[in-house]
Amino acid sequence: MESPEERNGNDVRQPLLDKNPAKKEAEGEERLCIDEMLQRYCGEFGRWQMRHFVLTCLAWALEAFHTMVMIFADQEPDWKCVVGSDCRVGSSTCGLDPSSWEWSAGKGSSTVSEWGLICGEKYKVGLVQALFFAGCMIGAGVFGHLSDSKLGRKGSLTVVCIINAIFGIATAFSPNYWTYVVLRFLTGFSTGGVGLTAFVLATEPIGPSKRGVAGMSTFYFFSAGIALLSGIAYVFRSWRELFIVSSLPSLLFLLIVIPFISESPRWYLVRGKVDEAMKLMHLIAKTNGRHIPAGVTLALDDDLENNNGERNNTAVEGSLKDVLLSPLTRIRLLITVAISFTVSIVYYGLSLNVVNLKTNLYLNVFVNAVAEMPAFAITAVLLDKYGRKPLSIGTQWFSCVFCLAGFAVWGAGPWKSVRMVAGVLGIFGMAGTYNLLFIYIAELFPTVVRNAALGCATQAAQMGAILAPFVVVLGDELPFGVFAVCGLVGGGLAFYLPETLNKPLYDTMFGMHEAETNRGRGDVVC
């Protein structure tokens, strides 16, 4: 809840805004865009937004479960020699008599041990992982479009959780490898829509001055989900049991959490459901201990620009085609897609490289998840001080520097520790970038196409995730060289994006174009 001093601070700009013809009252109504109503009457981040934010972001933990479960389910377990055989522990199983060795924890501990995915069949482990991310890539585009259209943010989140629960549990009953591949692909299809839908739904009801820090906080739930999964996997060592236990939270989320989550007021507004949007805004204000005066109503930003004095109850449509046809949004989309691709290669590549440390897998995954959290905290603190653009450039180049260090040093003797530290610091910087990109991309595009644009960027990130394992298998210092180049290129591309700090979230393509044009002329815009 804002203090009286904060409210007065927010009202300083109001005399200027009232001089804008787009803000004059029409037929006794004061018509405001959502950001301004949040700032003046509802509160930018009060009790209602906090509850809504936490409940919605729990979906990020579900995404972590369905994505990272492959680390444990598809691991290659320890093996031991059969008593009386002439095999030697430490040698490769590929050259041994199959009857001379056995899996230490039995065949049911992982998919590798159950279906013999070793030696000549080892490529199948990478194949199922790549196809999972391919499913994520397709799902991100599909659900990005559906959440911007008739299905809505909450409707899309409900659908992806249903699919996740069904196919996640079904995966545990896979009778053979190829059934497992198909079910993991379908799980990936739904998982691709979880994060982006939850992110937009969680951040759209938040005011502009609080949105950056809130948006940067969503990834805490993802990292917490990974840390929690490592504990679950430690308890449930059978891969079939692990898939069931890690999928059940999706079902619980549907039954316990979804009923208490509201649809986005911005989606209501662009769909022409002004009454529903106003009802929700009144609820936000009431819960936050605020009040919206009679005669105050919502309007799309292009309605304010046109100022026709009429309430618009017509749904405003938008699609990826509109983004590509506009020179302003087209260049933004191409740049953010390219950055998402390079960032994902580095983030997932460095994460996979850590597995080669040959330490306790469960502890290693837990430590990696916890280690990302300081990056989120530092980035969130600096976000509203230095802006999105400088931070995007800085975090990628920070990672680039340490990846170059990892590329330059030897990988033997004491230099192994130096390379390990370089990798940790490299992923530290790129974790901050990965988090920042969601809030940055959300602010670069208007409501009618926001999830479609985020979906494209997420698809590009999944392509990077698919390629990351192939970079890792290059071995030695070469992966660090590739990661350094990706960080350098990504940071350079960010120079061509505009700053969005303290800028409003636009509702329509027309409203954004008009506001950007007016800002270029020095006019005051909503």
Side-chain angles (χ1 to χ4, degrees):
M1 186 182 300
E2 294 178 339
S3 65
E5 289 79 11
E6 288 175 320
R7 286 198 290 271
N8 291 336
N10 286 336
D11 290 338
V12 170
R13 291 172 57 247
Q14 192 53 36
L16 291 175
L17 290 169
D18 288 339
K19 293 177 183 179
N20 186 348
K23 293 293 184 295
K24 72 179 183 179
E25 296 180 6
E27 297 181 358
E29 286 188 342
E30 183 183 10
R31 307 172 71 231
L32 304 174
C33 59
I34 286 183
D35 276 347
E36 196 170 11
M37 186 174 286
L38 288 169
Q39 288 175 315
R40 294 177 60 185
Y41 299 119
C42 299
E44 295 191 69
F45 194 76
R47 282 188 301 163
W48 189 94
Q49 286 100 332
M50 172 63 80
R51 181 182 65 85
H52 178 80
F53 179 82
V54 171
L55 291 177
T56 306
C57 286
L58 289 175
W60 278 95
L62 305 181
E63 180 174 357
F65 285 177
H66 290 287
T67 302
M68 298 303 179
V69 69
M70 68 177 68
I71 296 177
F72 305 102
D74 298 338
Q75 65 171 302
E76 184 172 334
D78 294 331
W79 58 275
K80 61 183 180 181
C81 293
V82 175
V83 177
S85 68
D86 59 352
C87 86
R88 185 178 59 188
V89 175
S91 59
S92 172
T93 57
C94 298
L96 297 177
D97 184 343
S99 62
S100 67
W101 64 277
E102 62 184 5
W103 298 107
S104 299
K107 286 189 175 182
S109 60
S110 80
T111 59
V112 172
S113 57
E114 179 153 337
W115 293 317
L117 306 182
I118 56 175
C119 303
E121 299 289 299
K122 195 170 185 177
Y123 75 94
K124 291 183 177 180
V125 177
L127 177 63
V128 68
Q129 178 179 345
L131 288 175
F132 172 84
F133 285 117
C136 291
M137 181 178 66
I138 297 172
V142 171
F143 289 105
H145 172 73
L146 289 176
S147 62
D148 281 334
S149 56
K150 293 183 179 180
L151 199 54
R153 278 74 160 118
K154 181 179 178 180
S156 295
L157 184 59
T158 303
V159 170
V160 294
C161 287
I162 292 173
I163 299 175
N164 263 344
I166 293 173
F167 290 119
I169 294 174
T171 302
F173 300 95
S174 301
N176 53 58
Y177 170 78
W178 292 110
T179 303
Y180 176 70
V181 168
V182 171
L183 290 172
R184 285 299 287 161
F185 173 82
L186 293 173
T187 305
F189 174 75
S190 57
T191 302
V194 173
L196 68 93
T197 304
F199 177 84
V200 172
L201 182 57
T203 56
E204 281 192 336
I206 298 173
S209 69
K210 310 294 184 183
R211 193 180 302 127
V213 173
M216 293 293 289
S217 301
T218 57
F219 271 72
Y220 285 113
F221 294 85
F222 185 80
S223 295
I226 299 175
L228 182 59
L229 178 65
S230 65
I232 295 173
Y234 182 80
V235 175
F236 297 93
R237 299 298 182 96
S238 165
W239 71 270
R240 294 184 185 273
E241 292 178 354
L242 181 58
F243 268 108
I244 294 174
V245 175
S246 63
S247 299
L248 284 176
S250 293
L251 190 59
L252 295 176
F253 185 83
L254 282 167
L255 299 175
I256 300 175
V257 179
I258 284 286
F260 297 98
I261 294 177
S262 300
E263 181 56 87
S264 167
R266 297 180 189 274
W267 182 81
Y268 278 140
L269 190 58
V270 298
R271 298 301 299 177
K273 301 179 179 181
V274 181
D275 291 336
E276 287 88 340
M278 279 304 303
K279 185 183 298 184
L280 184 54
M281 296 301 283
H282 278 288
L283 176 62
I284 294 173
K286 181 179 179 181
T287 306
N288 292 346
R290 307 287 289 273
H291 173 68
I292 300 176
V296 176
T297 189
L298 286 170
L300 292 168
D301 40 30
D302 59 352
D303 290 338
L304 296 174
E305 293 292 338
N306 291 333
N307 194 39
N308 54 24
E310 298 178 0
R311 172 184 278 196
N312 185 0
N313 290 318
T314 304
V316 180
E317 300 285 351
S319 67
L320 190 59
K321 179 180 179 181
D322 299 311
V323 178
L324 294 173
L325 288 176
S326 165
L328 178 66
T329 53
R330 180 170 62 242
I331 188 64
R332 292 182 181 184
L333 182 67
L334 294 176
I335 292 174
T336 53
V337 161
I339 293 175
S340 298
F341 177 74
T342 57
V343 166
S344 185
I345 289 177
V346 181
Y347 178 79
Y348 284 104
L350 288 173
S351 298
L352 292 175
N353 251 356
V354 178
V355 179
N356 295 325
L357 294 175
K358 303 299 182 183
T359 57
N360 182 285
L361 179 63
Y362 306 95
L363 180 61
N364 197 17
V365 172
F366 176 82
V367 171
N368 287 342
V370 174
E372 292 179 2
M373 294 184 181
F376 303 153
I378 294 172
T379 311
V381 170
L382 300 178
L383 185 67
D384 287 332
K385 183 176 182 180
Y386 296 105
R388 283 66 164 146
K389 181 176 178 177
L391 215 54
S392 176
I393 298 168
T395 51
Q396 290 183 81
W397 283 0
F398 178 91
S399 180
C400 171
V401 168
F402 287 100
C403 287
L404 279 175
F407 175 73
V409 301
W410 293 97
W415 294 108
K416 291 173 63 177
S417 299
V418 176
R419 180 172 286 179
M420 182 188 72
V421 172
V424 171
L425 292 174
I427 198 171
F428 176 88
M430 205 53 71
T433 310
Y434 212 101
N435 191 6
L436 167 65
L437 274 180
F438 267 83
I439 186 66
Y440 200 5
I441 295 171
E443 293 177 343
L444 285 170
F445 298 92
T447 301
V448 290
V449 295
R450 184 168 298 121
N451 261 21
L454 268 172
C456 282
T458 304
Q459 284 181 302
Q462 300 303 339
M463 290 182 65
I466 292 171
L467 292 178
F470 297 101
V471 176
V472 172
V473 298
L474 294 175
D476 296 327
E477 74 280 356
L478 288 179
F480 281 96
V482 175
F483 302 150
V485 171
C486 288
L488 181 66
V489 171
L493 288 173
F495 270 102
Y496 296 95
L497 291 174
E499 180 55 70
T500 60
L501 178 63
N502 290 331
K503 302 290 178 61
L505 281 182
Y506 299 110
D507 298 317
T508 63
M509 296 288 289
F510 177 82
M512 186 185 71
H513 278 280
E514 288 296 307
E516 294 290 338
T517 302
N518 291 339
R519 182 174 292 112
R521 295 199 302 260
D523 297 340
V524 179
V525 295
C526 177

